[in-house]
Structure formats: C-alpha cells, structure tokens
Amino acid sequence: MKRVAVIGAGAAGCFCAGQLRRMAPELAVTLFEAGAKPMAKLAITGGGRCNLTNSFQGIRSLGEAYPRGERVLQRALKAFSQEDTIRWFEAEGIPLVLQPDHCWFPRSQNALDIVRCLERGMRGAELRLRTPVRRIEMADQVGHDGAVGIGHDEASYPAPTGYLVNGEPFDYVVVTTGGAAKGLPFLEGLGLEMIPPVPSLFTFTVPDPSLRSLMGLVTEASIGLAGTSFKADGPLLITDWGLSGPATLKLSAHAARYLAECQYKGTVVINWLNAKENAVRERLLEMAAGNPQKLLSSVHPVQQRLWEHLLQRAGLRKDMRWAELGSKGLNRLTATLTADSYPLSGKSKFRDEFVTAGGVALSNINLSTLESKQHPGLYFAGEVLDIDAITGGFNLQAAWSTGYVCAQNIVKSL
C-alpha cells in the first residue's frame, strides 16, 4: 500500500487529503498538524463566515488577484477552477451565495460548515494533531550518513525509496503548512530555494489625527505609495489607527515586499475620487458655475464629513462661496482631491487573518504538477509556496486548486 504524508491540516492540506481519499481509496493518507485542531485558520476566515472563493468578475488578469504566483494559478485553475469549487461544495451539501462584491460564502454564513464538510471528505485518512514535523529526509540517503541504522550492518537493509517524515517512511509527501512566517526548518536539508517570508494583507497605521477623526467613514477611492507605481482602488475605510478596507488590503498585498524593505514607512497618496486630475478640475468648475453663491461646504462631491476635512487640508474656509474660489483655490482643491498625502508609520494585522508573501520558491517546482523538480514525490500546495492573493476569497481558491493538483498528480503517478 502506498503511503502519503500531508504536512499541515489547513485548507490546502485537508482538501488535498480528501481528494486523495476520493481518487484513490487504496492510498494510506496521514495528515500531520502541529496545532490542536485542523483548519483553525479556516474557521475564522472572513470574520468566521468563510469567503471560500470569488467569481473573478472584473479581474482582467490573474496578476491583479495574485501578486505572486500568477503562472502557477493559470495552470491550477484549469484543473480546478472557481466554478469547480462552487460545484464541489454544493454537491457536498453546502449551499453557497454570491455577494455583490463577487465573493462566495456558505449560505449559512458559518465557516464551520466548510470545516465540517472537509472533515467528512477526509474520512479514512489518519489525522495526527499536536504532531509537528521536525524533519523530512530522502529515504535513499538515510543510513549512509549514520542518521538512521547506527550500530547495524548497512548491507542488511534494502535501499529504501521515498521519504522519511520524523523517521517514518512515506512514498509521497505533500507540504501544505501555510504561510511560513517563521521559516520551514524541516525542509532545510533538501536544498530548496526559499523566498524570505514577509507579511501581506495588512492595514496601514497613519499618525494623522485629523484623518483618524473620520473613523468609520467608507468611500470609493484609489490609494498609492509615493514614488512608486503601486496603486489600488476600491472601498477605503478610515479607522482609529489609519486606513483599512479592500483598497488598502489590495495595496498591501501588491507592495508587500517593498513595504517590508522600507520598514513600513513612507507616504500614502489618496485620490478621493479615483479620477484623473483634469476630470476632477472640470467637475469642480461645473460645481462652481452651477452654485456660485452657495458655500463650499454645502455642495460637495464626497461625503460631508470627508469634504470638510479636505477643505481644511486645502486651506479653504467652509464659509467661502464657490464664486470666491479663484484659480489658486481651484488648484489646491484639485490637488487635495487627487493626491492627498499622509505619512505611513507602520502596519496593523488584518483581523485574525495572516497571509505571507514568500515561502518555497516557484523555481523549485514543476508549475503544472506542483512536484519538486529536484525531489520526485515531494509536492507543495497552498500558501507554503510563494503564492499569495488580495483579499476576497482568492487565497482560499489557490488552496483548493493547488491541493487538487497535488492529489491529481500523485494519483496519476501510481
């Protein structure tokens, strides 16, 4: 009987184990999990509601959703797409609903329904909790350096194949340990190239009291980092520590490595209307022409609270009339609406979710099968790879797709 070790009982690992059991029931599948529960992170994702995939509507290229790993996902999604994810979970008795923001959730709005569904799919697999993996070794090299078989005649042992996981033999190994924030010491002996992990998907700390006074306000805007080409748009949420919301999280994902190198210091530039400067100038001229005797504060292109804040930023009085604005005032107001700058002093974790950029370099693997080029029978799935996505269900879709690809190719190799 062939044996498969799946290391990490998160979304990718549990889905992969379930697919292995379904595709090849004769396989002996063992999951190793360092924690006390499987899928602990999955149970709290999406605020406990579990945004398990996205419709991908409006995504023009995968690079928009996956700052790292686009080429892998192009292949993996052909094997197991977002439509396959929806069909699979609904066939397993989990009705899903699509939200206006293109995110798919279980109709129950309960992530535990997804956890229980995956647990049912793993029936027949052995789950070992509180069992961290300390080392993975190539079985055909163990014994020759004295690591195994000390005190025995080496010639009395047949040349083993496959891998030893904590000293236990397996024919295949699938590594699905998730974000490698603390590194992957159990892989150190395999000579794999690793990309140092850095946080992704985080909010911005902005030490500007006037901006923070608008906490709770949500508006459509674009946000960027001064001196770079990094930009993102969407709903922007002002918080009591700075900036959050989909636009901020999207920007944090795309600029994750750059921001880490800058120690999360810099300048955030906000275009409050997400429009070009000329278009904003024309809009303000129309507002002035149509409301010459009205106060600046009474006619506004954004929410009242935000508008009063921006008037102050532009150095304009709230009781000034539109006819009094003048060319200098118009220029200042246009600049404030399209390039409002604030200092960035740090990052904050996004709820209880944590995503990393980095991990096992994609140069190590066959992009179509997710098998190690150097070590046949060793596979990788999910965020342990240098793959990560913006918020909105894309990270979980990567887990389902890559977990499926690993299972599929292990079964093909039998």
Side-chain angles (χ1 to χ4, degrees):
M1 179 185 292
K2 297 288 186 180
R3 304 188 70 206
V4 183
V6 179
I7 302 172
C14 291
F15 191 69
C16 179
Q19 294 305 308
L20 285 167
R21 290 293 306 154
R22 181 168 298 200
M23 296 177 188
E26 71 276 13
L27 282 174
V29 180
T30 302
L31 284 94
F32 293 83
E33 170 55 44
K37 293 180 180 180
M39 297 173 279
K41 181 178 173 181
L42 182 63
I44 60 173
T45 190
R49 297 164 56 226
C50 193
N51 178 192
L52 78 171
T53 191
N54 193 284
S55 72
F56 284 70
Q57 185 175 340
I59 300 295
R60 292 162 295 184
S61 70
L62 282 179
E64 293 181 10
Y66 296 95
R68 288 150 292 272
E70 176 183 5
R71 291 172 61 209
V72 169
L73 266 298
Q74 284 176 341
R75 294 165 170 80
L77 284 167
K78 288 180 181 178
F80 196 84
S81 68
Q82 67 272 25
E83 290 89 357
D84 292 324
T85 296
I86 295 162
R87 283 191 292 267
W88 191 89
F89 279 101
E90 292 198 322
E92 294 298 307
I94 307 293
L96 305 179
V97 293
L98 176 64
Q99 294 190 166
D101 60 0
H102 313 305
C103 296
W104 283 93
F105 285 84
R107 184 185 296 167
S108 65
Q109 303 289 295
N110 188 349
L112 289 179
D113 286 347
I114 303 299
V115 171
R116 296 184 188 109
C117 174
L118 294 177
E119 286 176 336
R120 291 192 296 271
M122 293 191 298
R123 284 175 183 163
E126 180 186 2
L127 175 60
R128 300 184 188 177
L129 300 174
R130 297 187 177 88
T131 309
V133 170
R134 306 297 183 190
R135 66 189 187 281
I136 298 176
E137 301 161 288
M138 297 172 63
D140 60 359
Q141 293 180 359
V142 176
H144 300 282
D145 60 2
V148 173
I150 296 174
H152 295 274
D153 179 5
E154 186 179 303
S156 65
Y157 289 88
T161 59
Y163 296 87
L164 296 180
V165 177
N166 288 351
E168 186 176 351
F170 289 91
D171 299 283
Y172 302 91
V173 175
V174 187
V175 180
T176 63
T177 49
K182 297 181 180 179
L184 299 166
F186 62 89
L187 293 177
E188 288 176 358
L190 297 177
L192 299 170
E193 179 190 356
M194 305 296 293
I195 306 298
V198 297
S200 181
L201 283 192
F202 48 84
T203 62
F204 293 170
T205 302
V206 178
D208 186 295
S210 63
L211 180 70
R212 290 178 170 186
S213 69
L214 300 173
M215 63 175 292
L217 187 144
V218 181
T219 187
E220 288 284 333
S222 67
I223 180 173
L225 296 172
T228 77
S229 60
F230 294 114
K231 290 182 180 178
D233 56 31
L236 181 66
L237 168 65
I238 301 174
T239 69
D240 59 347
W241 66 86
L243 297 170
S244 184
T248 304
L249 295 170
K250 192 187 302 184
L251 179 61
S252 76
H254 283 278
R257 198 159 294 283
Y258 169 82
L259 285 168
E261 291 170 356
C262 296
Q263 298 183 316
Y264 306 98
K265 302 291 193 297
T267 301
V268 176
V269 181
I270 303 173
N271 184 325
W272 293 104
L273 295 177
N274 192 17
K276 293 183 178 180
E277 185 176 326
N278 287 343
V280 171
R281 185 184 302 276
E282 288 299 318
R283 185 172 176 183
L284 291 175
L285 285 171
E286 290 174 4
M287 292 170 65
N291 305 277
Q293 297 307 312
K294 290 187 177 180
L295 302 180
L296 288 182
S297 60
S298 66
V299 181
H300 37 83
V302 294
Q303 298 173 48
Q304 179 76 45
R305 276 203 304 156
L306 177 58
W307 181 240
E308 292 181 1
H309 166 75
L310 295 177
L311 289 176
Q312 184 178 23
R313 296 275 292 174
L316 300 171
R317 302 189 326 272
K318 291 190 296 182
D319 60 354
M320 178 185 288
R321 299 186 186 280
W322 278 95
E324 302 171 329
L325 185 59
S327 60
K328 289 184 179 179
L330 177 67
N331 290 340
R332 291 204 304 271
L333 193 51
T334 301
T336 302
L337 281 164
T338 57
D340 195 17
S341 300
Y342 298 88
L344 170 64
S345 64
K347 65 175 177 63
S348 300
K349 194 173 172 182
F350 176 52
R351 294 189 189 145
D352 296 312
E353 300 176 46
F354 192 72
V355 175
T356 58
V360 176
L362 301 182
S363 58
N364 294 294
I365 66 166
N366 181 315
L367 299 185
S368 296
T369 65
L370 303 185
E371 184 178 23
S372 168
K373 294 177 181 177
Q374 189 177 352
H375 306 296
L378 176 63
Y379 293 79
F380 298 91
E383 202 188 328
V384 70
L385 290 163
D386 186 23
I387 295 174
D388 63 285
I390 62 175
T391 188
F394 298 104
N395 280 296
L396 275 179
Q397 182 59 54
W400 314 135
S401 296
T402 56
Y404 182 91
V405 168
C406 288
Q408 183 184 55
N409 285 284
I410 288 173
V411 172
K412 283 182 179 178
S413 73
L414 293 175

